[in-house]
Amino acid sequence: MAQLVECVPNFSEGRNKEVIDAISAAISSTAGCSLLDVDPGASTNRTVYTFVGSPDAVVEGALNAARQAFSLIDMSKHSGEHPRTGAMDVCPFIPVQNVTMEDCITCAQLFGQKLADMLHVPVYLYGEAARTETRRSLPSVRAGEYEALPDKLKCSEWTPDFGPTSFIPSWGATVTGARKFLIAYNVNLIGTKEQAHRIALDVREQGRGKDQPGLLKKVQGMGWYLDEANIAQVSTNILDHELTPLHTVYEEVCRDAEELSLPVVGSQIVGLIPLKALLDSADFYISRERLFIIEEEHKVRLVISKLGLDSLGPFNPKERIIEYMVGSQGDGRLVSLSLQQFVQHVGARTAAPGGGSVSAAVAALGAALGSMVGQMTYGKRQFENLDGVMRRLIPPFHQAMNELLHMVDADSSAFSSYMVALKMPKSTAEEIKRREAAMQEGLKRAVGVPLALAERIDILWPSLKEMVVYGNIACKSDAQVAAKALETAVFGAYYNIMINLKDITDDSFKLATKRKASALLQEAKSSAAAVLDAAEKRH
């Protein structure tokens, strides 16, 4: 899987389309960079760019964007609602795929040094890349904004991490760093800038000061007026959406607005958002309102509606959710192939994908059939007395079919690690020892995936035994096929476990694994038989 880093530079220009487009072109033309989103704001006079690529590519893309901006933006003439300290105000690097936070810290350090050398401008590190605690918070580094820089640069405690201590009027200073995914989230109010800011002071973590902290952890906030939409906004940055979810911010702003008799008229995501942030909010509303929604697409639609994310313009999930935008970046997954392509891959002259991946695919189809039987029963007038039962039985199958799909690639990857170990050098005693250890680890991984597959299927048998009794009788054959597909998948997992166990030298591991696999196979055989028997009794 390819390494992907997200870079989200914020430039202090949101009104001049030629400048905005020129910076976009500088990023897009950088080899290895994919520009995902450009979000300009006239009132803030600021544009947020989002692009992804390999660590080296995003650093180069950010440098190209800065080089372009240097000749086009003059900070001495800049004004706007958003706090800022420079033409390229902030440039964070965020881990997306197959990279660590340490990798992103390295990106920030490399970018900061190269930017200072290239343009001879002051650069500060913040977030996870900060070298001192006082510079960890972006608002702390940006305190006083551009106007305070001439005096700030003279203070030893604010000596830049890179570049000169001299004030560059046309540029100001740039802040770069590494952080988790930040969600720029604004809640719309029919009110004044002052009323919006009052609510922001209540909800943001900083509050009104040390003696009056706010309600929400890892949330920054301020109030402003959005002239182009003729509304006020409580503008927030959610620094950790798992600690403080999107819906928590929205609901808290709604409570405060209600106390002030102010109407909330939707909200706005600036830039991109992780899928999990929306799904977490969907789960909140589904639980609170006792809704039955299992499809990812429907959960996303629910959140768009509940939060009014389309209140200021269309919210197209394919263009706003980062996982959907990244999509096929370096995607060589088996599950992304068409069915025809997958079958052809299995039939090719290669060891993987093989029986393990096929077993996982068959298992996913078995779970999908279980979900289908439930879906063909739920919501129909003649079965409405069973709606409660189906609400309970459908989710396990729906969740399992998605999880089992991931195992199609996991099995192939696990076997590949063993094949890599086989090719390791074996000229010296040390190399032989290292190769043998890697082979044993590879074999244990190769055993672990099919074992996990059988264990995941084992959880479904109680639900399938109920489904075949209560499900739409017109789908009886589908339940029967589901049972045989799941049983077949466990047989496949068992055979894959056994063939790899024979070469493992750890006897205790072999014995424990064999016992567990045999028990799972026996349960699959008896449970499948029970499902088929129950199906035959229905007429």
Side-chain angles (χ1 to χ4, degrees):
M1 193 178 291
Q3 286 188 306
L4 281 181
V5 173
E6 181 190 43
C7 184
V8 191
N10 290 216
F11 286 91
S12 296
E13 176 55 70
R15 299 165 186 166
N16 188 324
K17 189 176 185 300
E18 289 184 3
V19 174
I20 295 168
D21 290 347
I23 295 172
S24 295
I27 296 169
S28 298
S29 63
T30 305
C33 287
S34 295
L35 183 61
L36 304 182
D37 188 62
V38 180
D39 200 333
S43 293
T44 57
N45 199 9
R46 182 183 188 85
T47 299
V48 179
Y49 298 81
T50 304
F51 64 98
V52 296
S54 68
D56 289 342
V58 293
V59 169
E60 195 60 32
L63 288 169
N64 288 339
R67 185 185 293 108
Q68 185 68 270
F70 189 75
S71 62
L72 298 174
I73 298 175
D74 184 353
M75 281 303 293
S76 67
K77 300 175 182 176
H78 182 272
S79 64
E81 289 280 355
H82 200 288
R84 78 283 184 266
T85 196
M88 185 188 209
D89 183 51
V90 62
C91 183
F93 296 87
I94 302 109
V96 174
Q97 177 178 286
N98 204 26
V99 290
T100 64
M101 185 60 76
E102 284 299 319
D103 294 326
C104 291
I105 291 171
T106 300
C107 286
Q109 292 170 339
L110 185 61
F111 168 74
Q113 183 66 69
K114 287 189 171 185
L115 180 68
D117 292 345
M118 178 177 73
L119 300 181
H120 308 290
V121 295
V123 181
Y124 292 97
L125 292 172
Y126 87 108
E128 296 299 319
R131 292 172 175 172
T132 63
E133 194 60 34
T134 55
R135 297 187 184 186
R136 182 171 286 272
S137 164
L138 181 58
S140 296
V141 180
R142 204 157 49 190
E145 301 185 41
Y146 169 83
E147 288 74 16
L149 272 178
D151 293 330
K152 197 172 183 178
L153 286 163
K154 295 174 185 176
C155 300
S156 58
E157 62 265 35
W158 286 108
T159 299
D161 291 287
F162 306 105
T165 57
S166 53
F167 177 57
I168 314 296
S170 64
W171 184 264
T174 293
V175 187
T176 185
R179 59 164 172 78
K180 291 182 178 180
F181 205 106
L182 177 150
I183 300 175
Y185 179 58
N186 304 330
V187 182
N188 308 326
L189 301 172
I190 295 179
T192 66
K193 172 182 175 179
E194 291 74 19
Q195 288 170 322
H197 192 62
R198 177 176 168 182
I199 294 174
L201 293 175
D202 288 336
V203 301
R204 70 183 189 183
E205 183 174 22
Q206 181 185 355
R208 289 176 166 80
K210 290 183 179 179
D211 298 329
Q212 291 181 283
L215 294 169
L216 304 179
K217 300 292 184 185
K218 295 294 182 181
V219 174
Q220 300 167 343
M222 64 182 295
W224 62 38
Y225 202 83
L226 201 63
D227 290 324
E228 58 263 37
N230 195 27
I231 56 168
Q233 286 188 319
V234 178
S235 175
T236 71
N237 284 336
I238 304 174
L239 306 181
D240 188 338
H241 67 84
E242 294 183 346
L243 180 64
T244 302
L246 201 65
H247 59 267
T248 300
V249 176
Y250 180 76
E251 295 291 333
E252 192 56 53
V253 170
C254 286
R255 273 190 287 273
D256 281 23
E258 186 176 3
E259 290 178 6
L260 296 174
S261 299
L262 298 175
V264 172
V265 286
S267 61
Q268 174 192 35
I269 299 290
V270 179
L272 303 183
I273 185 170
L275 176 61
K276 186 178 186 301
L278 292 178
L279 296 182
D280 286 346
S281 290
D283 289 342
F284 167 78
Y285 289 110
I286 289 168
S287 175
R288 189 179 75 173
E289 300 176 20
R290 301 176 67 186
L291 306 173
F292 182 65
I293 302 174
I294 57 174
E295 298 290 343
E296 182 175 287
E297 177 187 354
H298 294 161
K299 289 183 177 183
V300 171
R301 285 185 182 180
L302 174 70
V303 178
I304 294 171
S305 173
K306 288 292 182 184
L307 302 186
L309 295 178
D310 53 1
S311 57
L312 296 182
F315 185 95
N316 184 344
K318 292 181 179 179
E319 296 175 356
R320 305 305 298 277
I321 298 173
I322 189 165
E323 287 86 348
Y324 296 172
M325 287 293 292
V326 170
S328 61
Q329 294 281 332
D331 190 353
R333 298 180 303 160
L334 293 169
V335 293
S336 296
L337 301 175
S338 69
L339 179 59
Q340 181 182 28
Q341 291 170 326
F342 177 68
V343 170
Q344 289 172 343
H345 270 61
V346 172
R349 193 177 179 181
T350 55
S357 292
V358 169
S359 297
V362 170
L365 289 170
L369 281 170
S371 176
M372 170 198 156
V373 174
Q375 299 269 28
M376 295 296 288
T377 309
Y378 176 75
K380 291 182 178 287
R381 189 178 183 121
Q382 66 266 42
F383 304 121
E384 64 182 356
N385 62 310
L386 294 172
D387 278 358
V389 176
M390 291 303 123
R391 281 188 174 218
R392 176 171 54 82
L393 293 181
I394 294 171
F397 291 107
H398 193 272
Q399 181 180 353
M401 75 180 189
N402 291 315
E403 292 178 4
L404 291 165
L405 273 176
H406 291 307
M407 292 188 178
V408 173
D409 283 281
D411 185 89
S412 184
S413 298
F415 186 75
S416 295
S417 68
Y418 172 69
M419 296 302 292
V420 169
L422 273 179
K423 297 174 183 176
M424 289 175 66
K426 49 183 177 178
S427 301
T428 66
E430 183 61 32
E431 287 179 344
I432 292 171
K433 183 179 179 181
R434 203 161 35 236
R435 176 175 177 270
E436 181 60 32
M439 287 170 58
Q440 288 296 308
E441 185 59 35
L443 285 169
K444 286 184 177 181
R445 280 191 64 195
V447 164
V449 174
L451 184 63
L453 174 68
E455 290 173 332
R456 186 66 186 86
I457 294 169
D458 195 58
I459 298 171
L460 294 177
W461 291 122
S463 297
L464 188 57
K465 288 174 184 177
E466 277 195 85
M467 186 66 80
V468 74
V469 172
Y470 296 110
N472 188 335
I473 195 167
C475 299
K476 182 173 78 170
S477 63
D478 300 297
Q480 291 168 316
V481 175
K484 292 306 290 184
L486 292 173
E487 181 191 33
T488 299
V490 176
F491 264 102
Y494 177 83
Y495 293 141
N496 273 274
I497 291 168
M498 291 300 116
I499 198 168
N500 287 312
L501 270 183
K502 64 182 178 61
D503 293 322
I504 292 177
T505 56
D506 185 338
D507 290 333
S508 60
F509 176 86
K510 286 172 69 171
L511 182 60
T513 303
K514 188 173 183 178
R515 283 177 177 170
K516 188 177 290 185
S518 297
L520 290 166
L521 179 60
Q522 186 55 47
E523 178 60 36
K525 289 193 288 186
S526 62
S527 292
V531 171
L532 296 179
D533 183 58
E536 286 301 321
K537 291 176 181 177
R538 294 193 68 187
H539 301 288

